[in-house]
Amino acid sequence: QVQLVESGGGLVQTGGSLRLSCAASGRTFSNYAMGWFRQAPGKERKFVAVISSSGDSTYYADSVKGRFTISRDNAKNTVYLQMNSLKPEDTAGYYCAARTGRSWSYYTNEYDYDSWGQGTQVTVSS
């Protein structure tokens, strides 16, 4: 079991940037693939990005590719989502998730993950 806490959300203008952080509690954090998802009001939760346990591999949704970057610092038990060139369509609650296993694939589905944070709100004004 791992506890996840997101931070860094806020209000930003179109074209601006934000960096989200997800702090994890767990001695085996370096074994987990980590993902980011987002959910806009009235919409389904959607995949954003995933990173392998070592940080060597990443995968992104087409909607954010080239604008968002996922990274991690295993020494700090933290995963990040750098968001650039933000659009109003990016407005959503953002959630990080952990897969508590040592395998690697491009995990794009909610059921691939074992633990979830509480979310942090990102609002992009037009």
Side-chain angles (χ1 to χ4, degrees), residues 80-119:
Y80 304 96
L81 186 68
Q82 178 66 45
M83 305 184 294
N84 299 326
S85 302
L86 283 162
K87 308 174 181 179
E89 303 93 281
D90 297 317
T91 295
Y94 282 72
Y95 300 83
C96 68
R99 178 181 170 86
T100 54
R102 296 187 180 185
S103 61
W104 166 246
S105 187
Y106 295 155
Y107 300 115
T108 62
N109 297 301
E110 291 182 77
Y111 62 74
D112 290 323
Y113 297 87
D114 306 302
S115 301
W116 294 83
Q118 85 290 346

PDB file of all heavy atoms in Angstrom, residues 80-119:
ATOM      1  N   TYR A  80       6.660  13.996 -11.052  1.00  0.00           N
ATOM      2  CA  TYR A  80       6.285  15.333 -11.474  1.00  0.00           C
ATOM      3  C   TYR A  80       5.560  15.289 -12.813  1.00  0.00           C
ATOM      4  O   TYR A  80       5.748  14.377 -13.616  1.00  0.00           O
ATOM      5  CB  TYR A  80       7.517  16.221 -11.633  1.00  0.00           C
ATOM      6  CG  TYR A  80       8.375  16.303 -10.395  1.00  0.00           C
ATOM      7  CD1 TYR A  80       9.487  15.484 -10.241  1.00  0.00           C
ATOM      8  CD2 TYR A  80       8.072  17.200  -9.381  1.00  0.00           C
ATOM      9  CE1 TYR A  80      10.275  15.557  -9.112  1.00  0.00           C
ATOM     10  CE2 TYR A  80       8.852  17.278  -8.247  1.00  0.00           C
ATOM     11  CZ  TYR A  80       9.953  16.460  -8.114  1.00  0.00           C
ATOM     12  OH  TYR A  80      10.733  16.532  -6.990  1.00  0.00           O
ATOM     13  N   LEU A  81       4.757  16.311 -13.041  1.00  0.00           N
ATOM     14  CA  LEU A  81       4.165  16.539 -14.351  1.00  0.00           C
ATOM     15  C   LEU A  81       4.364  18.006 -14.704  1.00  0.00           C
ATOM     16  O   LEU A  81       3.704  18.879 -14.134  1.00  0.00           O
ATOM     17  CB  LEU A  81       2.679  16.177 -14.372  1.00  0.00           C
ATOM     18  CG  LEU A  81       2.013  16.250 -15.743  1.00  0.00           C
ATOM     19  CD1 LEU A  81       2.549  15.155 -16.662  1.00  0.00           C
ATOM     20  CD2 LEU A  81       0.495  16.141 -15.623  1.00  0.00           C
ATOM     21  N   GLN A  82       5.290  18.268 -15.610  1.00  0.00           N
ATOM     22  CA  GLN A  82       5.519  19.617 -16.104  1.00  0.00           C
ATOM     23  C   GLN A  82       4.551  19.870 -17.248  1.00  0.00           C
ATOM     24  O   GLN A  82       4.557  19.141 -18.243  1.00  0.00           O
ATOM     25  CB  GLN A  82       6.959  19.780 -16.582  1.00  0.00           C
ATOM     26  CG  GLN A  82       7.270  21.155 -17.161  1.00  0.00           C
ATOM     27  CD  GLN A  82       7.202  22.253 -16.128  1.00  0.00           C
ATOM     28  OE1 GLN A  82       7.722  22.100 -15.032  1.00  0.00           O
ATOM     29  NE2 GLN A  82       6.565  23.364 -16.466  1.00  0.00           N
ATOM     30  N   MET A  83       3.733  20.905 -17.126  1.00  0.00           N
ATOM     31  CA  MET A  83       2.704  21.217 -18.105  1.00  0.00           C
ATOM     32  C   MET A  83       3.002  22.579 -18.718  1.00  0.00           C
ATOM     33  O   MET A  83       2.995  23.592 -18.014  1.00  0.00           O
ATOM     34  CB  MET A  83       1.321  21.208 -17.462  1.00  0.00           C
ATOM     35  CG  MET A  83       0.997  19.912 -16.732  1.00  0.00           C
ATOM     36  SD  MET A  83      -0.691  19.891 -16.078  1.00  0.00           S
ATOM     37  CE  MET A  83      -0.562  21.206 -14.854  1.00  0.00           C
ATOM     38  N   ASN A  84       3.263  22.603 -20.009  1.00  0.00           N
ATOM     39  CA  ASN A  84       3.544  23.829 -20.740  1.00  0.00           C
ATOM     40  C   ASN A  84       2.474  24.066 -21.798  1.00  0.00           C
ATOM     41  O   ASN A  84       1.733  23.165 -22.165  1.00  0.00           O
ATOM     42  CB  ASN A  84       4.918  23.750 -21.408  1.00  0.00           C
ATOM     43  CG  ASN A  84       6.054  23.584 -20.434  1.00  0.00           C
ATOM     44  OD1 ASN A  84       6.011  24.117 -19.318  1.00  0.00           O
ATOM     45  ND2 ASN A  84       7.087  22.864 -20.845  1.00  0.00           N
ATOM     46  N   SER A  85       2.430  25.287 -22.298  1.00  0.00           N
ATOM     47  CA  SER A  85       1.479  25.661 -23.349  1.00  0.00           C
ATOM     48  C   SER A  85       0.061  25.232 -23.001  1.00  0.00           C
ATOM     49  O   SER A  85      -0.649  24.639 -23.818  1.00  0.00           O
ATOM     50  CB  SER A  85       1.905  25.049 -24.693  1.00  0.00           C
ATOM     51  OG  SER A  85       3.206  25.479 -25.053  1.00  0.00           O
ATOM     52  N   LEU A  86      -0.355  25.551 -21.802  1.00  0.00           N
ATOM     53  CA  LEU A  86      -1.642  25.084 -21.302  1.00  0.00           C
ATOM     54  C   LEU A  86      -2.807  25.703 -22.064  1.00  0.00           C
ATOM     55  O   LEU A  86      -2.757  26.859 -22.489  1.00  0.00           O
ATOM     56  CB  LEU A  86      -1.768  25.383 -19.814  1.00  0.00           C
ATOM     57  CG  LEU A  86      -0.975  24.428 -18.920  1.00  0.00           C
ATOM     58  CD1 LEU A  86      -0.785  25.017 -17.536  1.00  0.00           C
ATOM     59  CD2 LEU A  86      -1.691  23.081 -18.840  1.00  0.00           C
ATOM     60  N   LYS A  87      -3.852  24.898 -22.226  1.00  0.00           N
ATOM     61  CA  LYS A  87      -5.071  25.279 -22.924  1.00  0.00           C
ATOM     62  C   LYS A  87      -6.262  25.148 -21.983  1.00  0.00           C
ATOM     63  O   LYS A  87      -6.202  24.382 -21.021  1.00  0.00           O
ATOM     64  CB  LYS A  87      -5.298  24.361 -24.133  1.00  0.00           C
ATOM     65  CG  LYS A  87      -4.124  24.225 -25.079  1.00  0.00           C
ATOM     66  CD  LYS A  87      -4.423  23.174 -26.135  1.00  0.00           C
ATOM     67  CE  LYS A  87      -3.260  23.000 -27.077  1.00  0.00           C
ATOM     68  NZ  LYS A  87      -3.538  21.944 -28.092  1.00  0.00           N
ATOM     69  N   PRO A  88      -7.361  25.853 -22.253  1.00  0.00           N
ATOM     70  CA  PRO A  88      -8.561  25.675 -21.429  1.00  0.00           C
ATOM     71  C   PRO A  88      -9.020  24.220 -21.358  1.00  0.00           C
ATOM     72  O   PRO A  88      -9.564  23.805 -20.330  1.00  0.00           O
ATOM     73  CB  PRO A  88      -9.601  26.547 -22.133  1.00  0.00           C
ATOM     74  CG  PRO A  88      -8.799  27.627 -22.777  1.00  0.00           C
ATOM     75  CD  PRO A  88      -7.525  26.946 -23.229  1.00  0.00           C
ATOM     76  N   GLU A  89      -8.797  23.448 -22.410  1.00  0.00           N
ATOM     77  CA  GLU A  89      -9.167  22.039 -22.429  1.00  0.00           C
ATOM     78  C   GLU A  89      -8.390  21.202 -21.415  1.00  0.00           C
ATOM     79  O   GLU A  89      -8.779  20.068 -21.135  1.00  0.00           O
ATOM     80  CB  GLU A  89      -8.959  21.442 -23.825  1.00  0.00           C
ATOM     81  CG  GLU A  89      -9.718  22.156 -24.928  1.00  0.00           C
ATOM     82  CD  GLU A  89      -8.887  23.225 -25.606  1.00  0.00           C
ATOM     83  OE1 GLU A  89      -8.763  24.329 -25.030  1.00  0.00           O
ATOM     84  OE2 GLU A  89      -8.370  22.965 -26.711  1.00  0.00           O
ATOM     85  N   ASP A  90      -7.295  21.739 -20.881  1.00  0.00           N
ATOM     86  CA  ASP A  90      -6.519  21.043 -19.866  1.00  0.00           C
ATOM     87  C   ASP A  90      -7.107  21.197 -18.469  1.00  0.00           C
ATOM     88  O   ASP A  90      -6.632  20.553 -17.528  1.00  0.00           O
ATOM     89  CB  ASP A  90      -5.075  21.544 -19.851  1.00  0.00           C
ATOM     90  CG  ASP A  90      -4.345  21.255 -21.152  1.00  0.00           C
ATOM     91  OD1 ASP A  90      -4.493  20.147 -21.691  1.00  0.00           O
ATOM     92  OD2 ASP A  90      -3.619  22.160 -21.622  1.00  0.00           O
ATOM     93  N   THR A  91      -8.108  22.047 -18.315  1.00  0.00           N
ATOM     94  CA  THR A  91      -8.740  22.253 -17.021  1.00  0.00           C
ATOM     95  C   THR A  91      -9.343  20.948 -16.518  1.00  0.00           C
ATOM     96  O   THR A  91     -10.169  20.329 -17.195  1.00  0.00           O
ATOM     97  CB  THR A  91      -9.824  23.332 -17.117  1.00  0.00           C
ATOM     98  OG1 THR A  91      -9.223  24.584 -17.438  1.00  0.00           O
ATOM     99  CG2 THR A  91     -10.576  23.469 -15.805  1.00  0.00           C
ATOM    100  N   ALA A  92      -8.920  20.521 -15.331  1.00  0.00           N
ATOM    101  CA  ALA A  92      -9.366  19.246 -14.779  1.00  0.00           C
ATOM    102  C   ALA A  92      -8.761  19.063 -13.402  1.00  0.00           C
ATOM    103  O   ALA A  92      -7.836  19.779 -13.007  1.00  0.00           O
ATOM    104  CB  ALA A  92      -8.947  18.086 -15.687  1.00  0.00           C
ATOM    105  N   GLY A  93      -9.288  18.082 -12.669  1.00  0.00           N
ATOM    106  CA  GLY A  93      -8.595  17.565 -11.515  1.00  0.00           C
ATOM    107  C   GLY A  93      -7.548  16.571 -11.979  1.00  0.00           C
ATOM    108  O   GLY A  93      -7.835  15.707 -12.804  1.00  0.00           O
ATOM    109  N   TYR A  94      -6.343  16.702 -11.462  1.00  0.00           N
ATOM    110  CA  TYR A  94      -5.238  15.833 -11.868  1.00  0.00           C
ATOM    111  C   TYR A  94      -4.893  14.877 -10.739  1.00  0.00           C
ATOM    112  O   TYR A  94      -4.733  15.288  -9.588  1.00  0.00           O
ATOM    113  CB  TYR A  94      -4.015  16.662 -12.262  1.00  0.00           C
ATOM    114  CG  TYR A  94      -4.139  17.263 -13.638  1.00  0.00           C
ATOM    115  CD1 TYR A  94      -5.021  18.313 -13.879  1.00  0.00           C
ATOM    116  CD2 TYR A  94      -3.397  16.765 -14.709  1.00  0.00           C
ATOM    117  CE1 TYR A  94      -5.165  18.850 -15.142  1.00  0.00           C
ATOM    118  CE2 TYR A  94      -3.533  17.304 -15.977  1.00  0.00           C
ATOM    119  CZ  TYR A  94      -4.418  18.345 -16.191  1.00  0.00           C
ATOM    120  OH  TYR A  94      -4.553  18.879 -17.452  1.00  0.00           O
ATOM    121  N   TYR A  95      -4.758  13.604 -11.082  1.00  0.00           N
ATOM    122  CA  TYR A  95      -4.540  12.543 -10.111  1.00  0.00           C
ATOM    123  C   TYR A  95      -3.301  11.745 -10.473  1.00  0.00           C
ATOM    124  O   TYR A  95      -3.121  11.378 -11.634  1.00  0.00           O
ATOM    125  CB  TYR A  95      -5.739  11.589 -10.081  1.00  0.00           C
ATOM    126  CG  TYR A  95      -7.039  12.252  -9.713  1.00  0.00           C
ATOM    127  CD1 TYR A  95      -7.798  12.916 -10.666  1.00  0.00           C
ATOM    128  CD2 TYR A  95      -7.502  12.214  -8.402  1.00  0.00           C
ATOM    129  CE1 TYR A  95      -8.988  13.535 -10.332  1.00  0.00           C
ATOM    130  CE2 TYR A  95      -8.691  12.824  -8.060  1.00  0.00           C
ATOM    131  CZ  TYR A  95      -9.427  13.485  -9.033  1.00  0.00           C
ATOM    132  OH  TYR A  95     -10.609  14.086  -8.691  1.00  0.00           O
ATOM    133  N   CYS A  96      -2.458  11.464  -9.495  1.00  0.00           N
ATOM    134  CA  CYS A  96      -1.366  10.540  -9.731  1.00  0.00           C
ATOM    135  C   CYS A  96      -1.747   9.163  -9.217  1.00  0.00           C
ATOM    136  O   CYS A  96      -2.620   9.015  -8.354  1.00  0.00           O
ATOM    137  CB  CYS A  96      -0.049  11.019  -9.104  1.00  0.00           C
ATOM    138  SG  CYS A  96       0.002  11.030  -7.310  1.00  0.00           S
ATOM    139  N   ALA A  97      -1.117   8.156  -9.775  1.00  0.00           N
ATOM    140  CA  ALA A  97      -1.435   6.777  -9.451  1.00  0.00           C
ATOM    141  C   ALA A  97      -0.175   5.929  -9.491  1.00  0.00           C
ATOM    142  O   ALA A  97       0.748   6.207 -10.261  1.00  0.00           O
ATOM    143  CB  ALA A  97      -2.466   6.223 -10.439  1.00  0.00           C
ATOM    144  N   ALA A  98      -0.144   4.902  -8.666  1.00  0.00           N
ATOM    145  CA  ALA A  98       0.991   4.003  -8.573  1.00  0.00           C
ATOM    146  C   ALA A  98       0.580   2.587  -8.938  1.00  0.00           C
ATOM    147  O   ALA A  98      -0.490   2.119  -8.534  1.00  0.00           O
ATOM    148  CB  ALA A  98       1.582   4.017  -7.166  1.00  0.00           C
ATOM    149  N   ARG A  99       1.430   1.926  -9.694  1.00  0.00           N
ATOM    150  CA  ARG A  99       1.282   0.507  -9.957  1.00  0.00           C
ATOM    151  C   ARG A  99       2.347  -0.220  -9.143  1.00  0.00           C
ATOM    152  O   ARG A  99       3.542  -0.088  -9.424  1.00  0.00           O
ATOM    153  CB  ARG A  99       1.449   0.190 -11.445  1.00  0.00           C
ATOM    154  CG  ARG A  99       1.358  -1.299 -11.762  1.00  0.00           C
ATOM    155  CD  ARG A  99       1.548  -1.577 -13.249  1.00  0.00           C
ATOM    156  NE  ARG A  99       1.698  -2.996 -13.506  1.00  0.00           N
ATOM    157  CZ  ARG A  99       0.698  -3.839 -13.681  1.00  0.00           C
ATOM    158  NH1 ARG A  99      -0.551  -3.402 -13.644  1.00  0.00           N
ATOM    159  NH2 ARG A  99       0.935  -5.125 -13.900  1.00  0.00           N
ATOM    160  N   THR A 100       1.912  -0.967  -8.144  1.00  0.00           N
ATOM    161  CA  THR A 100       2.841  -1.599  -7.200  1.00  0.00           C
ATOM    162  C   THR A 100       3.288  -2.956  -7.713  1.00  0.00           C
ATOM    163  O   THR A 100       2.969  -4.002  -7.153  1.00  0.00           O
ATOM    164  CB  THR A 100       2.209  -1.712  -5.811  1.00  0.00           C
ATOM    165  OG1 THR A 100       0.949  -2.397  -5.907  1.00  0.00           O
ATOM    166  CG2 THR A 100       1.980  -0.337  -5.210  1.00  0.00           C
ATOM    167  N   GLY A 101       4.033  -2.917  -8.801  1.00  0.00           N
ATOM    168  CA  GLY A 101       4.628  -4.105  -9.388  1.00  0.00           C
ATOM    169  C   GLY A 101       5.877  -3.719 -10.141  1.00  0.00           C
ATOM    170  O   GLY A 101       6.103  -2.537 -10.427  1.00  0.00           O
ATOM    171  N   ARG A 102       6.678  -4.695 -10.484  1.00  0.00           N
ATOM    172  CA  ARG A 102       7.971  -4.422 -11.121  1.00  0.00           C
ATOM    173  C   ARG A 102       7.960  -4.576 -12.636  1.00  0.00           C
ATOM    174  O   ARG A 102       8.983  -4.352 -13.276  1.00  0.00           O
ATOM    175  CB  ARG A 102       9.039  -5.338 -10.524  1.00  0.00           C
ATOM    176  CG  ARG A 102       9.292  -5.098  -9.052  1.00  0.00           C
ATOM    177  CD  ARG A 102      10.468  -5.896  -8.546  1.00  0.00           C
ATOM    178  NE  ARG A 102      10.717  -5.666  -7.133  1.00  0.00           N
ATOM    179  CZ  ARG A 102      11.727  -6.164  -6.454  1.00  0.00           C
ATOM    180  NH1 ARG A 102      12.608  -6.955  -7.057  1.00  0.00           N
ATOM    181  NH2 ARG A 102      11.870  -5.898  -5.166  1.00  0.00           N
ATOM    182  N   SER A 103       6.827  -4.940 -13.201  1.00  0.00           N
ATOM    183  CA  SER A 103       6.725  -5.064 -14.645  1.00  0.00           C
ATOM    184  C   SER A 103       6.606  -3.690 -15.283  1.00  0.00           C
ATOM    185  O   SER A 103       6.345  -2.688 -14.618  1.00  0.00           O
ATOM    186  CB  SER A 103       5.532  -5.942 -15.027  1.00  0.00           C
ATOM    187  OG  SER A 103       4.316  -5.377 -14.562  1.00  0.00           O
ATOM    188  N   TRP A 104       6.796  -3.630 -16.603  1.00  0.00           N
ATOM    189  CA  TRP A 104       6.668  -2.378 -17.330  1.00  0.00           C
ATOM    190  C   TRP A 104       5.863  -2.567 -18.605  1.00  0.00           C
ATOM    191  O   TRP A 104       6.107  -3.487 -19.387  1.00  0.00           O
ATOM    192  CB  TRP A 104       8.028  -1.778 -17.694  1.00  0.00           C
ATOM    193  CG  TRP A 104       7.899  -0.682 -18.715  1.00  0.00           C
ATOM    194  CD1 TRP A 104       8.368  -0.683 -19.992  1.00  0.00           C
ATOM    195  CD2 TRP A 104       7.208   0.572 -18.549  1.00  0.00           C
ATOM    196  NE1 TRP A 104       8.022   0.478 -20.631  1.00  0.00           N
ATOM    197  CE2 TRP A 104       7.308   1.272 -19.770  1.00  0.00           C
ATOM    198  CE3 TRP A 104       6.519   1.162 -17.495  1.00  0.00           C
ATOM    199  CZ2 TRP A 104       6.747   2.529 -19.965  1.00  0.00           C
ATOM    200  CZ3 TRP A 104       5.951   2.419 -17.689  1.00  0.00           C
ATOM    201  CH2 TRP A 104       6.071   3.085 -18.895  1.00  0.00           C
ATOM    202  N   SER A 105       4.921  -1.695 -18.796  1.00  0.00           N
ATOM    203  CA  SER A 105       4.203  -1.554 -20.036  1.00  0.00           C
ATOM    204  C   SER A 105       3.674  -0.135 -20.078  1.00  0.00           C
ATOM    205  O   SER A 105       3.831   0.629 -19.121  1.00  0.00           O
ATOM    206  CB  SER A 105       3.067  -2.582 -20.137  1.00  0.00           C
ATOM    207  OG  SER A 105       2.454  -2.552 -21.407  1.00  0.00           O
ATOM    208  N   TYR A 106       3.034   0.230 -21.193  1.00  0.00           N
ATOM    209  CA  TYR A 106       2.404   1.544 -21.290  1.00  0.00           C
ATOM    210  C   TYR A 106       1.022   1.465 -20.647  1.00  0.00           C
ATOM    211  O   TYR A 106       0.021   1.234 -21.318  1.00  0.00           O
ATOM    212  CB  TYR A 106       2.310   1.979 -22.739  1.00  0.00           C
ATOM    213  CG  TYR A 106       3.644   2.216 -23.410  1.00  0.00           C
ATOM    214  CD1 TYR A 106       3.771   2.113 -24.783  1.00  0.00           C
ATOM    215  CD2 TYR A 106       4.772   2.560 -22.675  1.00  0.00           C
ATOM    216  CE1 TYR A 106       4.994   2.332 -25.413  1.00  0.00           C
ATOM    217  CE2 TYR A 106       5.994   2.781 -23.288  1.00  0.00           C
ATOM    218  CZ  TYR A 106       6.098   2.668 -24.659  1.00  0.00           C
ATOM    219  OH  TYR A 106       7.308   2.894 -25.273  1.00  0.00           O
ATOM    220  N   TYR A 107       0.971   1.667 -19.338  1.00  0.00           N
ATOM    221  CA  TYR A 107      -0.254   1.495 -18.567  1.00  0.00           C
ATOM    222  C   TYR A 107      -1.140   2.719 -18.725  1.00  0.00           C
ATOM    223  O   TYR A 107      -0.862   3.779 -18.147  1.00  0.00           O
ATOM    224  CB  TYR A 107       0.071   1.259 -17.097  1.00  0.00           C
ATOM    225  CG  TYR A 107       0.923   0.033 -16.853  1.00  0.00           C
ATOM    226  CD1 TYR A 107       2.212   0.151 -16.353  1.00  0.00           C
ATOM    227  CD2 TYR A 107       0.427  -1.235 -17.114  1.00  0.00           C
ATOM    228  CE1 TYR A 107       2.993  -0.968 -16.131  1.00  0.00           C
ATOM    229  CE2 TYR A 107       1.202  -2.359 -16.894  1.00  0.00           C
ATOM    230  CZ  TYR A 107       2.482  -2.222 -16.399  1.00  0.00           C
ATOM    231  OH  TYR A 107       3.253  -3.337 -16.171  1.00  0.00           O
ATOM    232  N   THR A 108      -2.215   2.572 -19.477  1.00  0.00           N
ATOM    233  CA  THR A 108      -3.095   3.690 -19.815  1.00  0.00           C
ATOM    234  C   THR A 108      -4.488   3.576 -19.222  1.00  0.00           C
ATOM    235  O   THR A 108      -5.308   4.467 -19.434  1.00  0.00           O
ATOM    236  CB  THR A 108      -3.228   3.836 -21.333  1.00  0.00           C
ATOM    237  OG1 THR A 108      -3.815   2.647 -21.883  1.00  0.00           O
ATOM    238  CG2 THR A 108      -1.860   4.059 -21.969  1.00  0.00           C
ATOM    239  N   ASN A 109      -4.765   2.522 -18.486  1.00  0.00           N
ATOM    240  CA  ASN A 109      -6.091   2.290 -17.931  1.00  0.00           C
ATOM    241  C   ASN A 109      -6.087   2.417 -16.410  1.00  0.00           C
ATOM    242  O   ASN A 109      -5.100   2.075 -15.752  1.00  0.00           O
ATOM    243  CB  ASN A 109      -6.609   0.903 -18.309  1.00  0.00           C
ATOM    244  CG  ASN A 109      -6.781   0.742 -19.802  1.00  0.00           C
ATOM    245  OD1 ASN A 109      -7.537   1.493 -20.427  1.00  0.00           O
ATOM    246  ND2 ASN A 109      -6.090  -0.228 -20.376  1.00  0.00           N
ATOM    247  N   GLU A 110      -7.202   2.896 -15.861  1.00  0.00           N
ATOM    248  CA  GLU A 110      -7.307   3.054 -14.413  1.00  0.00           C
ATOM    249  C   GLU A 110      -7.066   1.741 -13.678  1.00  0.00           C
ATOM    250  O   GLU A 110      -6.448   1.742 -12.605  1.00  0.00           O
ATOM    251  CB  GLU A 110      -8.685   3.596 -14.028  1.00  0.00           C
ATOM    252  CG  GLU A 110      -8.923   5.031 -14.446  1.00  0.00           C
ATOM    253  CD  GLU A 110     -10.277   5.521 -13.983  1.00  0.00           C
ATOM    254  OE1 GLU A 110     -10.408   5.834 -12.772  1.00  0.00           O
ATOM    255  OE2 GLU A 110     -11.193   5.580 -14.810  1.00  0.00           O
ATOM    256  N   TYR A 111      -7.528   0.628 -14.256  1.00  0.00           N
ATOM    257  CA  TYR A 111      -7.405  -0.658 -13.564  1.00  0.00           C
ATOM    258  C   TYR A 111      -5.975  -1.168 -13.515  1.00  0.00           C
ATOM    259  O   TYR A 111      -5.694  -2.144 -12.818  1.00  0.00           O
ATOM    260  CB  TYR A 111      -8.334  -1.706 -14.196  1.00  0.00           C
ATOM    261  CG  TYR A 111      -8.052  -2.048 -15.644  1.00  0.00           C
ATOM    262  CD1 TYR A 111      -6.960  -2.833 -15.986  1.00  0.00           C
ATOM    263  CD2 TYR A 111      -8.894  -1.610 -16.656  1.00  0.00           C
ATOM    264  CE1 TYR A 111      -6.708  -3.158 -17.309  1.00  0.00           C
ATOM    265  CE2 TYR A 111      -8.650  -1.938 -17.983  1.00  0.00           C
ATOM    266  CZ  TYR A 111      -7.551  -2.716 -18.297  1.00  0.00           C
ATOM    267  OH  TYR A 111      -7.313  -3.048 -19.613  1.00  0.00           O
ATOM    268  N   ASP A 112      -5.068  -0.530 -14.246  1.00  0.00           N
ATOM    269  CA  ASP A 112      -3.660  -0.907 -14.184  1.00  0.00           C
ATOM    270  C   ASP A 112      -2.996  -0.473 -12.877  1.00  0.00           C
ATOM    271  O   ASP A 112      -1.889  -0.939 -12.580  1.00  0.00           O
ATOM    272  CB  ASP A 112      -2.888  -0.286 -15.346  1.00  0.00           C
ATOM    273  CG  ASP A 112      -3.244  -0.893 -16.684  1.00  0.00           C
ATOM    274  OD1 ASP A 112      -3.479  -2.112 -16.753  1.00  0.00           O
ATOM    275  OD2 ASP A 112      -3.269  -0.139 -17.678  1.00  0.00           O
ATOM    276  N   TYR A 113      -3.636   0.404 -12.120  1.00  0.00           N
ATOM    277  CA  TYR A 113      -3.015   1.030 -10.959  1.00  0.00           C
ATOM    278  C   TYR A 113      -3.649   0.587  -9.655  1.00  0.00           C
ATOM    279  O   TYR A 113      -4.843   0.279  -9.597  1.00  0.00           O
ATOM    280  CB  TYR A 113      -3.076   2.555 -11.096  1.00  0.00           C
ATOM    281  CG  TYR A 113      -2.287   3.043 -12.280  1.00  0.00           C
ATOM    282  CD1 TYR A 113      -2.866   3.110 -13.536  1.00  0.00           C
ATOM    283  CD2 TYR A 113      -0.949   3.403 -12.143  1.00  0.00           C
ATOM    284  CE1 TYR A 113      -2.129   3.527 -14.637  1.00  0.00           C
ATOM    285  CE2 TYR A 113      -0.214   3.820 -13.239  1.00  0.00           C
ATOM    286  CZ  TYR A 113      -0.808   3.881 -14.486  1.00  0.00           C
ATOM    287  OH  TYR A 113      -0.075   4.290 -15.571  1.00  0.00           O
ATOM    288  N   ASP A 114      -2.835   0.573  -8.612  1.00  0.00           N
ATOM    289  CA  ASP A 114      -3.251   0.081  -7.306  1.00  0.00           C
ATOM    290  C   ASP A 114      -3.595   1.183  -6.311  1.00  0.00           C
ATOM    291  O   ASP A 114      -4.434   0.980  -5.426  1.00  0.00           O
ATOM    292  CB  ASP A 114      -2.137  -0.783  -6.698  1.00  0.00           C
ATOM    293  CG  ASP A 114      -1.698  -1.900  -7.606  1.00  0.00           C
ATOM    294  OD1 ASP A 114      -2.547  -2.729  -7.977  1.00  0.00           O
ATOM    295  OD2 ASP A 114      -0.493  -1.949  -7.943  1.00  0.00           O
ATOM    296  N   SER A 115      -2.934   2.328  -6.404  1.00  0.00           N
ATOM    297  CA  SER A 115      -3.093   3.402  -5.427  1.00  0.00           C
ATOM    298  C   SER A 115      -3.293   4.728  -6.140  1.00  0.00           C
ATOM    299  O   SER A 115      -2.715   4.957  -7.205  1.00  0.00           O
ATOM    300  CB  SER A 115      -1.872   3.494  -4.506  1.00  0.00           C
ATOM    301  OG  SER A 115      -1.666   2.279  -3.809  1.00  0.00           O
ATOM    302  N   TRP A 116      -4.081   5.628  -5.516  1.00  0.00           N
ATOM    303  CA  TRP A 116      -4.427   6.917  -6.099  1.00  0.00           C
ATOM    304  C   TRP A 116      -4.318   8.038  -5.087  1.00  0.00           C
ATOM    305  O   TRP A 116      -4.585   7.838  -3.902  1.00  0.00           O
ATOM    306  CB  TRP A 116      -5.859   6.893  -6.642  1.00  0.00           C
ATOM    307  CG  TRP A 116      -6.033   5.978  -7.799  1.00  0.00           C
ATOM    308  CD1 TRP A 116      -6.251   4.628  -7.767  1.00  0.00           C
ATOM    309  CD2 TRP A 116      -6.001   6.340  -9.179  1.00  0.00           C
ATOM    310  NE1 TRP A 116      -6.348   4.130  -9.042  1.00  0.00           N
ATOM    311  CE2 TRP A 116      -6.202   5.167  -9.934  1.00  0.00           C
ATOM    312  CE3 TRP A 116      -5.823   7.550  -9.847  1.00  0.00           C
ATOM    313  CZ2 TRP A 116      -6.229   5.166 -11.327  1.00  0.00           C
ATOM    314  CZ3 TRP A 116      -5.844   7.553 -11.225  1.00  0.00           C
ATOM    315  CH2 TRP A 116      -6.051   6.365 -11.946  1.00  0.00           C
ATOM    316  N   GLY A 117      -3.914   9.211  -5.566  1.00  0.00           N
ATOM    317  CA  GLY A 117      -3.925  10.395  -4.738  1.00  0.00           C
ATOM    318  C   GLY A 117      -5.291  11.046  -4.728  1.00  0.00           C
ATOM    319  O   GLY A 117      -6.230  10.602  -5.401  1.00  0.00           O
ATOM    320  N   GLN A 118      -5.419  12.127  -3.964  1.00  0.00           N
ATOM    321  CA  GLN A 118      -6.699  12.811  -3.801  1.00  0.00           C
ATOM    322  C   GLN A 118      -6.991  13.803  -4.916  1.00  0.00           C
ATOM    323  O   GLN A 118      -8.124  14.256  -5.053  1.00  0.00           O
ATOM    324  CB  GLN A 118      -6.731  13.533  -2.451  1.00  0.00           C
ATOM    325  CG  GLN A 118      -6.106  14.926  -2.424  1.00  0.00           C
ATOM    326  CD  GLN A 118      -4.592  14.932  -2.577  1.00  0.00           C
ATOM    327  OE1 GLN A 118      -3.930  13.903  -2.450  1.00  0.00           O
ATOM    328  NE2 GLN A 118      -4.035  16.114  -2.841  1.00  0.00           N
ATOM    329  N   GLY A 119      -5.994  14.155  -5.696  1.00  0.00           N
ATOM    330  CA  GLY A 119      -6.162  15.061  -6.812  1.00  0.00           C
ATOM    331  C   GLY A 119      -5.790  16.492  -6.490  1.00  0.00           C
ATOM    332  O   GLY A 119      -5.837  16.928  -5.343  1.00  0.00           O
TER     333      GLY A 119
END
